[in-house]
Amino acid sequence: MRERRATRPRRRPAGLALEGRVGESGAVEVHSQMAERLLPWVIGLVVIAAGLFLMTWRARRGQAGDARGAVLRAVVLVLVVASMVVSTGTIVQAVRIGHSGATAVWGQTASSGPVGGGVGD
């Protein structure tokens, strides 16, 4: 039971609240499916960050000057490039998820026409 709680995304309650507010719809389903695809990006980012930490720590321990130091620098460079790619993917996916959630909420009210309170009212 504890393992399921540790792997469950923290924003799931907000998604369930969205579904409760808007009701079941195609837009909420799209939002939910997109949210499920964020976790691999975040896991990748954490793994790369841990790798960068480990490689930097090893390099600072004095291995940067020997033959292995060149390998460490190359690995750090690859990890830095990978972190830029994965962090960009994480940001893009998070923005897409947020946009789909906003569309699920506001798309229904915006399509119902003007509410009033504008300049000409």
PDB file of all heavy atoms in Angstrom, residues 26-69:
ATOM      1  N   GLY A  26     -14.947  14.684 -22.828  1.00  0.00           N
ATOM      2  CA  GLY A  26     -13.783  14.356 -23.636  1.00  0.00           C
ATOM      3  C   GLY A  26     -12.582  15.205 -23.278  1.00  0.00           C
ATOM      4  O   GLY A  26     -11.447  14.725 -23.269  1.00  0.00           O
ATOM      5  N   ALA A  27     -12.820  16.478 -22.943  1.00  0.00           N
ATOM      6  CA  ALA A  27     -11.720  17.374 -22.596  1.00  0.00           C
ATOM      7  C   ALA A  27     -11.050  16.946 -21.292  1.00  0.00           C
ATOM      8  O   ALA A  27      -9.824  16.992 -21.169  1.00  0.00           O
ATOM      9  CB  ALA A  27     -12.221  18.812 -22.483  1.00  0.00           C
ATOM     10  N   VAL A  28     -11.835  16.493 -20.329  1.00  0.00           N
ATOM     11  CA  VAL A  28     -11.265  16.025 -19.065  1.00  0.00           C
ATOM     12  C   VAL A  28     -10.499  14.726 -19.290  1.00  0.00           C
ATOM     13  O   VAL A  28      -9.433  14.513 -18.707  1.00  0.00           O
ATOM     14  CB  VAL A  28     -12.368  15.842 -18.000  1.00  0.00           C
ATOM     15  CG1 VAL A  28     -11.825  15.180 -16.751  1.00  0.00           C
ATOM     16  CG2 VAL A  28     -13.001  17.176 -17.658  1.00  0.00           C
ATOM     17  N   GLU A  29     -11.008  13.869 -20.150  1.00  0.00           N
ATOM     18  CA  GLU A  29     -10.317  12.619 -20.465  1.00  0.00           C
ATOM     19  C   GLU A  29      -8.970  12.885 -21.142  1.00  0.00           C
ATOM     20  O   GLU A  29      -7.968  12.260 -20.818  1.00  0.00           O
ATOM     21  CB  GLU A  29     -11.200  11.742 -21.363  1.00  0.00           C
ATOM     22  CG  GLU A  29     -10.631  10.378 -21.631  1.00  0.00           C
ATOM     23  CD  GLU A  29     -10.500   9.521 -20.383  1.00  0.00           C
ATOM     24  OE1 GLU A  29     -11.297   9.689 -19.445  1.00  0.00           O
ATOM     25  OE2 GLU A  29      -9.581   8.688 -20.349  1.00  0.00           O
ATOM     26  N   VAL A  30      -8.942  13.844 -22.071  1.00  0.00           N
ATOM     27  CA  VAL A  30      -7.679  14.224 -22.727  1.00  0.00           C
ATOM     28  C   VAL A  30      -6.707  14.764 -21.691  1.00  0.00           C
ATOM     29  O   VAL A  30      -5.524  14.408 -21.676  1.00  0.00           O
ATOM     30  CB  VAL A  30      -7.939  15.262 -23.848  1.00  0.00           C
ATOM     31  CG1 VAL A  30      -6.647  15.896 -24.323  1.00  0.00           C
ATOM     32  CG2 VAL A  30      -8.673  14.612 -25.000  1.00  0.00           C
ATOM     33  N   HIS A  31      -7.197  15.613 -20.808  1.00  0.00           N
ATOM     34  CA  HIS A  31      -6.361  16.178 -19.751  1.00  0.00           C
ATOM     35  C   HIS A  31      -5.775  15.072 -18.866  1.00  0.00           C
ATOM     36  O   HIS A  31      -4.585  15.079 -18.551  1.00  0.00           O
ATOM     37  CB  HIS A  31      -7.195  17.152 -18.908  1.00  0.00           C
ATOM     38  CG  HIS A  31      -6.482  17.727 -17.737  1.00  0.00           C
ATOM     39  ND1 HIS A  31      -5.479  18.654 -17.860  1.00  0.00           N
ATOM     40  CD2 HIS A  31      -6.626  17.498 -16.411  1.00  0.00           C
ATOM     41  CE1 HIS A  31      -5.037  18.982 -16.658  1.00  0.00           C
ATOM     42  NE2 HIS A  31      -5.711  18.279 -15.763  1.00  0.00           N
ATOM     43  N   SER A  32      -6.594  14.112 -18.499  1.00  0.00           N
ATOM     44  CA  SER A  32      -6.155  13.008 -17.653  1.00  0.00           C
ATOM     45  C   SER A  32      -5.107  12.149 -18.351  1.00  0.00           C
ATOM     46  O   SER A  32      -4.096  11.768 -17.748  1.00  0.00           O
ATOM     47  CB  SER A  32      -7.363  12.154 -17.270  1.00  0.00           C
ATOM     48  OG  SER A  32      -6.963  11.024 -16.543  1.00  0.00           O
ATOM     49  N   GLN A  33      -5.320  11.854 -19.615  1.00  0.00           N
ATOM     50  CA  GLN A  33      -4.356  11.043 -20.367  1.00  0.00           C
ATOM     51  C   GLN A  33      -3.026  11.774 -20.528  1.00  0.00           C
ATOM     52  O   GLN A  33      -1.958  11.167 -20.425  1.00  0.00           O
ATOM     53  CB  GLN A  33      -4.920  10.667 -21.731  1.00  0.00           C
ATOM     54  CG  GLN A  33      -6.047   9.658 -21.655  1.00  0.00           C
ATOM     55  CD  GLN A  33      -6.698   9.422 -22.999  1.00  0.00           C
ATOM     56  OE1 GLN A  33      -6.382  10.065 -23.993  1.00  0.00           O
ATOM     57  NE2 GLN A  33      -7.639   8.492 -23.031  1.00  0.00           N
ATOM     58  N   MET A  34      -3.092  13.071 -20.771  1.00  0.00           N
ATOM     59  CA  MET A  34      -1.858  13.850 -20.899  1.00  0.00           C
ATOM     60  C   MET A  34      -1.107  13.895 -19.570  1.00  0.00           C
ATOM     61  O   MET A  34       0.120  13.822 -19.542  1.00  0.00           O
ATOM     62  CB  MET A  34      -2.173  15.259 -21.382  1.00  0.00           C
ATOM     63  CG  MET A  34      -2.637  15.309 -22.823  1.00  0.00           C
ATOM     64  SD  MET A  34      -3.107  16.970 -23.318  1.00  0.00           S
ATOM     65  CE  MET A  34      -1.495  17.719 -23.463  1.00  0.00           C
ATOM     66  N   ALA A  35      -1.836  14.013 -18.472  1.00  0.00           N
ATOM     67  CA  ALA A  35      -1.202  14.078 -17.148  1.00  0.00           C
ATOM     68  C   ALA A  35      -0.472  12.777 -16.831  1.00  0.00           C
ATOM     69  O   ALA A  35       0.590  12.805 -16.204  1.00  0.00           O
ATOM     70  CB  ALA A  35      -2.247  14.382 -16.084  1.00  0.00           C
ATOM     71  N   GLU A  36      -1.011  11.663 -17.268  1.00  0.00           N
ATOM     72  CA  GLU A  36      -0.353  10.379 -17.018  1.00  0.00           C
ATOM     73  C   GLU A  36       0.975  10.273 -17.761  1.00  0.00           C
ATOM     74  O   GLU A  36       1.852   9.529 -17.348  1.00  0.00           O
ATOM     75  CB  GLU A  36      -1.269   9.229 -17.421  1.00  0.00           C
ATOM     76  CG  GLU A  36      -2.467   9.070 -16.503  1.00  0.00           C
ATOM     77  CD  GLU A  36      -3.455   8.047 -17.001  1.00  0.00           C
ATOM     78  OE1 GLU A  36      -3.210   7.428 -18.059  1.00  0.00           O
ATOM     79  OE2 GLU A  36      -4.481   7.867 -16.331  1.00  0.00           O
ATOM     80  N   ARG A  37       1.130  11.026 -18.832  1.00  0.00           N
ATOM     81  CA  ARG A  37       2.377  10.981 -19.606  1.00  0.00           C
ATOM     82  C   ARG A  37       3.449  11.931 -19.075  1.00  0.00           C
ATOM     83  O   ARG A  37       4.544  11.994 -19.622  1.00  0.00           O
ATOM     84  CB  ARG A  37       2.081  11.284 -21.074  1.00  0.00           C
ATOM     85  CG  ARG A  37       1.272  10.188 -21.743  1.00  0.00           C
ATOM     86  CD  ARG A  37       1.185  10.394 -23.228  1.00  0.00           C
ATOM     87  NE  ARG A  37       0.472  11.605 -23.558  1.00  0.00           N
ATOM     88  CZ  ARG A  37      -0.691  11.648 -24.191  1.00  0.00           C
ATOM     89  NH1 ARG A  37      -1.268  10.542 -24.563  1.00  0.00           N
ATOM     90  NH2 ARG A  37      -1.263  12.792 -24.467  1.00  0.00           N
ATOM     91  N   LEU A  38       3.166  12.670 -18.013  1.00  0.00           N
ATOM     92  CA  LEU A  38       4.164  13.570 -17.436  1.00  0.00           C
ATOM     93  C   LEU A  38       5.155  12.826 -16.546  1.00  0.00           C
ATOM     94  O   LEU A  38       6.338  13.174 -16.505  1.00  0.00           O
ATOM     95  CB  LEU A  38       3.480  14.679 -16.627  1.00  0.00           C
ATOM     96  CG  LEU A  38       4.406  15.707 -15.979  1.00  0.00           C
ATOM     97  CD1 LEU A  38       5.180  16.483 -17.045  1.00  0.00           C
ATOM     98  CD2 LEU A  38       3.617  16.645 -15.103  1.00  0.00           C
ATOM     99  N   LEU A  39       4.696  11.797 -15.859  1.00  0.00           N
ATOM    100  CA  LEU A  39       5.541  11.100 -14.898  1.00  0.00           C
ATOM    101  C   LEU A  39       6.842  10.562 -15.500  1.00  0.00           C
ATOM    102  O   LEU A  39       7.899  10.735 -14.883  1.00  0.00           O
ATOM    103  CB  LEU A  39       4.748   9.975 -14.215  1.00  0.00           C
ATOM    104  CG  LEU A  39       5.418   9.313 -13.022  1.00  0.00           C
ATOM    105  CD1 LEU A  39       5.742  10.334 -11.939  1.00  0.00           C
ATOM    106  CD2 LEU A  39       4.525   8.216 -12.466  1.00  0.00           C
ATOM    107  N   PRO A  40       6.847   9.943 -16.682  1.00  0.00           N
ATOM    108  CA  PRO A  40       8.133   9.496 -17.240  1.00  0.00           C
ATOM    109  C   PRO A  40       9.125  10.634 -17.476  1.00  0.00           C
ATOM    110  O   PRO A  40      10.334  10.463 -17.283  1.00  0.00           O
ATOM    111  CB  PRO A  40       7.744   8.831 -18.561  1.00  0.00           C
ATOM    112  CG  PRO A  40       6.317   8.449 -18.397  1.00  0.00           C
ATOM    113  CD  PRO A  40       5.724   9.483 -17.493  1.00  0.00           C
ATOM    114  N   TRP A  41       8.631  11.801 -17.876  1.00  0.00           N
ATOM    115  CA  TRP A  41       9.512  12.958 -18.067  1.00  0.00           C
ATOM    116  C   TRP A  41      10.147  13.362 -16.741  1.00  0.00           C
ATOM    117  O   TRP A  41      11.347  13.656 -16.667  1.00  0.00           O
ATOM    118  CB  TRP A  41       8.737  14.136 -18.646  1.00  0.00           C
ATOM    119  CG  TRP A  41       8.381  13.990 -20.077  1.00  0.00           C
ATOM    120  CD1 TRP A  41       7.169  13.623 -20.581  1.00  0.00           C
ATOM    121  CD2 TRP A  41       9.231  14.203 -21.213  1.00  0.00           C
ATOM    122  NE1 TRP A  41       7.224  13.594 -21.956  1.00  0.00           N
ATOM    123  CE2 TRP A  41       8.477  13.949 -22.362  1.00  0.00           C
ATOM    124  CE3 TRP A  41      10.555  14.587 -21.348  1.00  0.00           C
ATOM    125  CZ2 TRP A  41       8.998  14.067 -23.638  1.00  0.00           C
ATOM    126  CZ3 TRP A  41      11.080  14.709 -22.625  1.00  0.00           C
ATOM    127  CH2 TRP A  41      10.310  14.451 -23.750  1.00  0.00           C
ATOM    128  N   VAL A  42       9.351  13.392 -15.685  1.00  0.00           N
ATOM    129  CA  VAL A  42       9.851  13.796 -14.375  1.00  0.00           C
ATOM    130  C   VAL A  42      10.842  12.763 -13.840  1.00  0.00           C
ATOM    131  O   VAL A  42      11.888  13.128 -13.281  1.00  0.00           O
ATOM    132  CB  VAL A  42       8.680  14.023 -13.390  1.00  0.00           C
ATOM    133  CG1 VAL A  42       9.180  14.281 -11.982  1.00  0.00           C
ATOM    134  CG2 VAL A  42       7.815  15.171 -13.868  1.00  0.00           C
ATOM    135  N   ILE A  43      10.541  11.490 -14.019  1.00  0.00           N
ATOM    136  CA  ILE A  43      11.470  10.442 -13.590  1.00  0.00           C
ATOM    137  C   ILE A  43      12.796  10.583 -14.338  1.00  0.00           C
ATOM    138  O   ILE A  43      13.874  10.491 -13.742  1.00  0.00           O
ATOM    139  CB  ILE A  43      10.853   9.050 -13.791  1.00  0.00           C
ATOM    140  CG1 ILE A  43       9.728   8.829 -12.784  1.00  0.00           C
ATOM    141  CG2 ILE A  43      11.913   7.955 -13.654  1.00  0.00           C
ATOM    142  CD1 ILE A  43       8.908   7.578 -13.035  1.00  0.00           C
ATOM    143  N   GLY A  44      12.733  10.821 -15.636  1.00  0.00           N
ATOM    144  CA  GLY A  44      13.955  11.026 -16.418  1.00  0.00           C
ATOM    145  C   GLY A  44      14.764  12.204 -15.909  1.00  0.00           C
ATOM    146  O   GLY A  44      15.992  12.138 -15.815  1.00  0.00           O
ATOM    147  N   LEU A  45      14.084  13.268 -15.559  1.00  0.00           N
ATOM    148  CA  LEU A  45      14.765  14.453 -15.047  1.00  0.00           C
ATOM    149  C   LEU A  45      15.451  14.163 -13.710  1.00  0.00           C
ATOM    150  O   LEU A  45      16.590  14.579 -13.485  1.00  0.00           O
ATOM    151  CB  LEU A  45      13.755  15.590 -14.896  1.00  0.00           C
ATOM    152  CG  LEU A  45      14.266  17.001 -14.851  1.00  0.00           C
ATOM    153  CD1 LEU A  45      15.131  17.325 -16.053  1.00  0.00           C
ATOM    154  CD2 LEU A  45      13.103  17.969 -14.766  1.00  0.00           C
ATOM    155  N   VAL A  46      14.789  13.420 -12.844  1.00  0.00           N
ATOM    156  CA  VAL A  46      15.378  13.071 -11.544  1.00  0.00           C
ATOM    157  C   VAL A  46      16.590  12.164 -11.737  1.00  0.00           C
ATOM    158  O   VAL A  46      17.629  12.348 -11.081  1.00  0.00           O
ATOM    159  CB  VAL A  46      14.317  12.417 -10.633  1.00  0.00           C
ATOM    160  CG1 VAL A  46      14.951  11.791  -9.399  1.00  0.00           C
ATOM    161  CG2 VAL A  46      13.263  13.431 -10.237  1.00  0.00           C
ATOM    162  N   VAL A  47      16.486  11.199 -12.647  1.00  0.00           N
ATOM    163  CA  VAL A  47      17.612  10.286 -12.892  1.00  0.00           C
ATOM    164  C   VAL A  47      18.814  11.052 -13.448  1.00  0.00           C
ATOM    165  O   VAL A  47      19.959  10.846 -13.019  1.00  0.00           O
ATOM    166  CB  VAL A  47      17.184   9.147 -13.853  1.00  0.00           C
ATOM    167  CG1 VAL A  47      18.378   8.367 -14.369  1.00  0.00           C
ATOM    168  CG2 VAL A  47      16.201   8.221 -13.159  1.00  0.00           C
ATOM    169  N   ILE A  48      18.570  11.954 -14.374  1.00  0.00           N
ATOM    170  CA  ILE A  48      19.663  12.747 -14.949  1.00  0.00           C
ATOM    171  C   ILE A  48      20.285  13.654 -13.888  1.00  0.00           C
ATOM    172  O   ILE A  48      21.514  13.786 -13.807  1.00  0.00           O
ATOM    173  CB  ILE A  48      19.171  13.551 -16.160  1.00  0.00           C
ATOM    174  CG1 ILE A  48      18.845  12.598 -17.318  1.00  0.00           C
ATOM    175  CG2 ILE A  48      20.199  14.581 -16.598  1.00  0.00           C
ATOM    176  CD1 ILE A  48      18.122  13.246 -18.463  1.00  0.00           C
ATOM    177  N   ALA A  49      19.446  14.269 -13.058  1.00  0.00           N
ATOM    178  CA  ALA A  49      19.974  15.132 -11.989  1.00  0.00           C
ATOM    179  C   ALA A  49      20.826  14.326 -11.013  1.00  0.00           C
ATOM    180  O   ALA A  49      21.893  14.789 -10.586  1.00  0.00           O
ATOM    181  CB  ALA A  49      18.825  15.820 -11.256  1.00  0.00           C
ATOM    182  N   ALA A  50      20.389  13.120 -10.682  1.00  0.00           N
ATOM    183  CA  ALA A  50      21.192  12.272  -9.793  1.00  0.00           C
ATOM    184  C   ALA A  50      22.512  11.896 -10.463  1.00  0.00           C
ATOM    185  O   ALA A  50      23.562  11.883  -9.804  1.00  0.00           O
ATOM    186  CB  ALA A  50      20.399  11.016  -9.419  1.00  0.00           C
ATOM    187  N   GLY A  51      22.471  11.596 -11.748  1.00  0.00           N
ATOM    188  CA  GLY A  51      23.702  11.287 -12.473  1.00  0.00           C
ATOM    189  C   GLY A  51      24.653  12.467 -12.516  1.00  0.00           C
ATOM    190  O   GLY A  51      25.868  12.302 -12.343  1.00  0.00           O
ATOM    191  N   LEU A  52      24.120  13.654 -12.754  1.00  0.00           N
ATOM    192  CA  LEU A  52      24.957  14.861 -12.745  1.00  0.00           C
ATOM    193  C   LEU A  52      25.576  15.092 -11.376  1.00  0.00           C
ATOM    194  O   LEU A  52      26.762  15.437 -11.269  1.00  0.00           O
ATOM    195  CB  LEU A  52      24.131  16.079 -13.153  1.00  0.00           C
ATOM    196  CG  LEU A  52      24.025  16.352 -14.637  1.00  0.00           C
ATOM    197  CD1 LEU A  52      23.003  17.438 -14.902  1.00  0.00           C
ATOM    198  CD2 LEU A  52      25.373  16.742 -15.192  1.00  0.00           C
ATOM    199  N   PHE A  53      24.797  14.908 -10.344  1.00  0.00           N
ATOM    200  CA  PHE A  53      25.326  15.070  -8.994  1.00  0.00           C
ATOM    201  C   PHE A  53      26.461  14.084  -8.746  1.00  0.00           C
ATOM    202  O   PHE A  53      27.528  14.458  -8.252  1.00  0.00           O
ATOM    203  CB  PHE A  53      24.220  14.884  -7.954  1.00  0.00           C
ATOM    204  CG  PHE A  53      24.739  14.866  -6.548  1.00  0.00           C
ATOM    205  CD1 PHE A  53      25.065  16.053  -5.916  1.00  0.00           C
ATOM    206  CD2 PHE A  53      24.904  13.670  -5.871  1.00  0.00           C
ATOM    207  CE1 PHE A  53      25.561  16.048  -4.620  1.00  0.00           C
ATOM    208  CE2 PHE A  53      25.398  13.658  -4.579  1.00  0.00           C
ATOM    209  CZ  PHE A  53      25.715  14.842  -3.947  1.00  0.00           C
ATOM    210  N   LEU A  54      26.235  12.829  -9.087  1.00  0.00           N
ATOM    211  CA  LEU A  54      27.244  11.800  -8.851  1.00  0.00           C
ATOM    212  C   LEU A  54      28.523  12.072  -9.648  1.00  0.00           C
ATOM    213  O   LEU A  54      29.625  11.988  -9.108  1.00  0.00           O
ATOM    214  CB  LEU A  54      26.687  10.423  -9.218  1.00  0.00           C
ATOM    215  CG  LEU A  54      27.636   9.244  -9.032  1.00  0.00           C
ATOM    216  CD1 LEU A  54      27.980   9.068  -7.565  1.00  0.00           C
ATOM    217  CD2 LEU A  54      27.026   7.985  -9.605  1.00  0.00           C
ATOM    218  N   MET A  55      28.384  12.422 -10.908  1.00  0.00           N
ATOM    219  CA  MET A  55      29.565  12.672 -11.748  1.00  0.00           C
ATOM    220  C   MET A  55      30.324  13.911 -11.281  1.00  0.00           C
ATOM    221  O   MET A  55      31.555  13.930 -11.275  1.00  0.00           O
ATOM    222  CB  MET A  55      29.164  12.828 -13.212  1.00  0.00           C
ATOM    223  CG  MET A  55      28.652  11.557 -13.862  1.00  0.00           C
ATOM    224  SD  MET A  55      29.909  10.284 -13.903  1.00  0.00           S
ATOM    225  CE  MET A  55      29.124   9.009 -12.941  1.00  0.00           C
ATOM    226  N   THR A  56      29.604  14.945 -10.893  1.00  0.00           N
ATOM    227  CA  THR A  56      30.254  16.159 -10.404  1.00  0.00           C
ATOM    228  C   THR A  56      30.963  15.888  -9.081  1.00  0.00           C
ATOM    229  O   THR A  56      32.094  16.336  -8.866  1.00  0.00           O
ATOM    230  CB  THR A  56      29.224  17.294 -10.242  1.00  0.00           C
ATOM    231  OG1 THR A  56      28.574  17.493 -11.496  1.00  0.00           O
ATOM    232  CG2 THR A  56      29.880  18.583  -9.808  1.00  0.00           C
ATOM    233  N   TRP A  57      30.337  15.130  -8.230  1.00  0.00           N
ATOM    234  CA  TRP A  57      30.931  14.783  -6.948  1.00  0.00           C
ATOM    235  C   TRP A  57      32.209  13.969  -7.156  1.00  0.00           C
ATOM    236  O   TRP A  57      33.220  14.231  -6.523  1.00  0.00           O
ATOM    237  CB  TRP A  57      29.911  13.999  -6.122  1.00  0.00           C
ATOM    238  CG  TRP A  57      30.416  13.562  -4.787  1.00  0.00           C
ATOM    239  CD1 TRP A  57      30.659  14.342  -3.695  1.00  0.00           C
ATOM    240  CD2 TRP A  57      30.760  12.228  -4.412  1.00  0.00           C
ATOM    241  NE1 TRP A  57      31.117  13.575  -2.663  1.00  0.00           N
ATOM    242  CE2 TRP A  57      31.189  12.260  -3.073  1.00  0.00           C
ATOM    243  CE3 TRP A  57      30.721  11.009  -5.078  1.00  0.00           C
ATOM    244  CZ2 TRP A  57      31.585  11.128  -2.393  1.00  0.00           C
ATOM    245  CZ3 TRP A  57      31.108   9.873  -4.399  1.00  0.00           C
ATOM    246  CH2 TRP A  57      31.546   9.944  -3.074  1.00  0.00           C
ATOM    247  N   ARG A  58      32.164  13.009  -8.086  1.00  0.00           N
ATOM    248  CA  ARG A  58      33.355  12.201  -8.355  1.00  0.00           C
ATOM    249  C   ARG A  58      34.478  13.056  -8.956  1.00  0.00           C
ATOM    250  O   ARG A  58      35.647  12.864  -8.635  1.00  0.00           O
ATOM    251  CB  ARG A  58      33.013  11.057  -9.295  1.00  0.00           C
ATOM    252  CG  ARG A  58      32.166   9.987  -8.630  1.00  0.00           C
ATOM    253  CD  ARG A  58      31.922   8.828  -9.522  1.00  0.00           C
ATOM    254  NE  ARG A  58      33.193   8.102  -9.686  1.00  0.00           N
ATOM    255  CZ  ARG A  58      33.330   7.028 -10.420  1.00  0.00           C
ATOM    256  NH1 ARG A  58      32.298   6.542 -11.073  1.00  0.00           N
ATOM    257  NH2 ARG A  58      34.487   6.418 -10.521  1.00  0.00           N
ATOM    258  N   ALA A  59      34.108  13.980  -9.821  1.00  0.00           N
ATOM    259  CA  ALA A  59      35.120  14.842 -10.438  1.00  0.00           C
ATOM    260  C   ALA A  59      35.789  15.734  -9.391  1.00  0.00           C
ATOM    261  O   ALA A  59      36.990  15.988  -9.462  1.00  0.00           O
ATOM    262  CB  ALA A  59      34.488  15.691 -11.530  1.00  0.00           C
ATOM    263  N   ARG A  60      35.019  16.195  -8.420  1.00  0.00           N
ATOM    264  CA  ARG A  60      35.579  17.070  -7.388  1.00  0.00           C
ATOM    265  C   ARG A  60      36.403  16.317  -6.351  1.00  0.00           C
ATOM    266  O   ARG A  60      37.126  16.930  -5.590  1.00  0.00           O
ATOM    267  CB  ARG A  60      34.461  17.841  -6.706  1.00  0.00           C
ATOM    268  CG  ARG A  60      33.890  18.888  -7.618  1.00  0.00           C
ATOM    269  CD  ARG A  60      32.917  19.751  -6.900  1.00  0.00           C
ATOM    270  NE  ARG A  60      32.407  20.740  -7.822  1.00  0.00           N
ATOM    271  CZ  ARG A  60      31.644  21.728  -7.456  1.00  0.00           C
ATOM    272  NH1 ARG A  60      31.300  21.863  -6.198  1.00  0.00           N
ATOM    273  NH2 ARG A  60      31.217  22.585  -8.344  1.00  0.00           N
ATOM    274  N   ARG A  61      36.269  15.013  -6.330  1.00  0.00           N
ATOM    275  CA  ARG A  61      37.056  14.210  -5.381  1.00  0.00           C
ATOM    276  C   ARG A  61      38.494  14.049  -5.834  1.00  0.00           C
ATOM    277  O   ARG A  61      39.281  13.403  -5.172  1.00  0.00           O
ATOM    278  CB  ARG A  61      36.423  12.828  -5.221  1.00  0.00           C
ATOM    279  CG  ARG A  61      35.274  12.844  -4.255  1.00  0.00           C
ATOM    280  CD  ARG A  61      34.751  11.482  -3.897  1.00  0.00           C
ATOM    281  NE  ARG A  61      35.803  10.500  -3.670  1.00  0.00           N
ATOM    282  CZ  ARG A  61      35.685   9.207  -3.952  1.00  0.00           C
ATOM    283  NH1 ARG A  61      34.576   8.753  -4.504  1.00  0.00           N
ATOM    284  NH2 ARG A  61      36.669   8.373  -3.695  1.00  0.00           N
ATOM    285  N   GLY A  62      38.832  14.592  -6.970  1.00  0.00           N
ATOM    286  CA  GLY A  62      40.216  14.541  -7.398  1.00  0.00           C
ATOM    287  C   GLY A  62      40.459  13.676  -8.609  1.00  0.00           C
ATOM    288  O   GLY A  62      41.600  13.486  -9.018  1.00  0.00           O
ATOM    289  N   GLN A  63      39.425  13.150  -9.226  1.00  0.00           N
ATOM    290  CA  GLN A  63      39.601  12.298 -10.388  1.00  0.00           C
ATOM    291  C   GLN A  63      39.587  13.094 -11.687  1.00  0.00           C
ATOM    292  O   GLN A  63      39.670  12.523 -12.753  1.00  0.00           O
ATOM    293  CB  GLN A  63      38.509  11.234 -10.425  1.00  0.00           C
ATOM    294  CG  GLN A  63      38.552  10.300  -9.246  1.00  0.00           C
ATOM    295  CD  GLN A  63      37.388   9.325  -9.253  1.00  0.00           C
ATOM    296  OE1 GLN A  63      36.487   9.454 -10.050  1.00  0.00           O
ATOM    297  NE2 GLN A  63      37.430   8.357  -8.351  1.00  0.00           N
ATOM    298  N   ALA A  64      39.471  14.400 -11.606  1.00  0.00           N
ATOM    299  CA  ALA A  64      39.378  15.207 -12.824  1.00  0.00           C
ATOM    300  C   ALA A  64      40.711  15.345 -13.538  1.00  0.00           C
ATOM    301  O   ALA A  64      40.751  15.656 -14.717  1.00  0.00           O
ATOM    302  CB  ALA A  64      38.831  16.594 -12.484  1.00  0.00           C
ATOM    303  N   GLY A  65      41.806  15.112 -12.858  1.00  0.00           N
ATOM    304  CA  GLY A  65      43.107  15.308 -13.472  1.00  0.00           C
ATOM    305  C   GLY A  65      43.654  14.084 -14.185  1.00  0.00           C
ATOM    306  O   GLY A  65      44.502  14.195 -15.054  1.00  0.00           O
ATOM    307  N   ASP A  66      43.202  12.908 -13.861  1.00  0.00           N
ATOM    308  CA  ASP A  66      43.746  11.697 -14.475  1.00  0.00           C
ATOM    309  C   ASP A  66      42.992  11.339 -15.761  1.00  0.00           C
ATOM    310  O   ASP A  66      42.170  12.107 -16.243  1.00  0.00           O
ATOM    311  CB  ASP A  66      43.752  10.536 -13.473  1.00  0.00           C
ATOM    312  CG  ASP A  66      42.366  10.215 -12.954  1.00  0.00           C
ATOM    313  OD1 ASP A  66      41.399  10.796 -13.459  1.00  0.00           O
ATOM    314  OD2 ASP A  66      42.264   9.372 -12.043  1.00  0.00           O
ATOM    315  N   ALA A  67      43.284  10.172 -16.284  1.00  0.00           N
ATOM    316  CA  ALA A  67      42.663   9.743 -17.558  1.00  0.00           C
ATOM    317  C   ALA A  67      41.161   9.579 -17.413  1.00  0.00           C
ATOM    318  O   ALA A  67      40.408   9.830 -18.358  1.00  0.00           O
ATOM    319  CB  ALA A  67      43.293   8.434 -18.028  1.00  0.00           C
ATOM    320  N   ARG A  68      40.713   9.166 -16.238  1.00  0.00           N
ATOM    321  CA  ARG A  68      39.273   9.027 -16.025  1.00  0.00           C
ATOM    322  C   ARG A  68      38.575  10.381 -15.966  1.00  0.00           C
ATOM    323  O   ARG A  68      37.367  10.464 -16.153  1.00  0.00           O
ATOM    324  CB  ARG A  68      39.003   8.246 -14.753  1.00  0.00           C
ATOM    325  CG  ARG A  68      39.335   6.765 -14.909  1.00  0.00           C
ATOM    326  CD  ARG A  68      38.947   6.023 -13.683  1.00  0.00           C
ATOM    327  NE  ARG A  68      39.949   6.286 -12.646  1.00  0.00           N
ATOM    328  CZ  ARG A  68      39.864   5.874 -11.400  1.00  0.00           C
ATOM    329  NH1 ARG A  68      38.839   5.170 -11.013  1.00  0.00           N
ATOM    330  NH2 ARG A  68      40.804   6.156 -10.526  1.00  0.00           N
ATOM    331  N   GLY A  69      39.329  11.431 -15.709  1.00  0.00           N
ATOM    332  CA  GLY A  69      38.737  12.764 -15.655  1.00  0.00           C
ATOM    333  C   GLY A  69      38.152  13.189 -16.987  1.00  0.00           C
ATOM    334  O   GLY A  69      37.101  13.833 -17.028  1.00  0.00           O
TER     335      GLY A  69
END
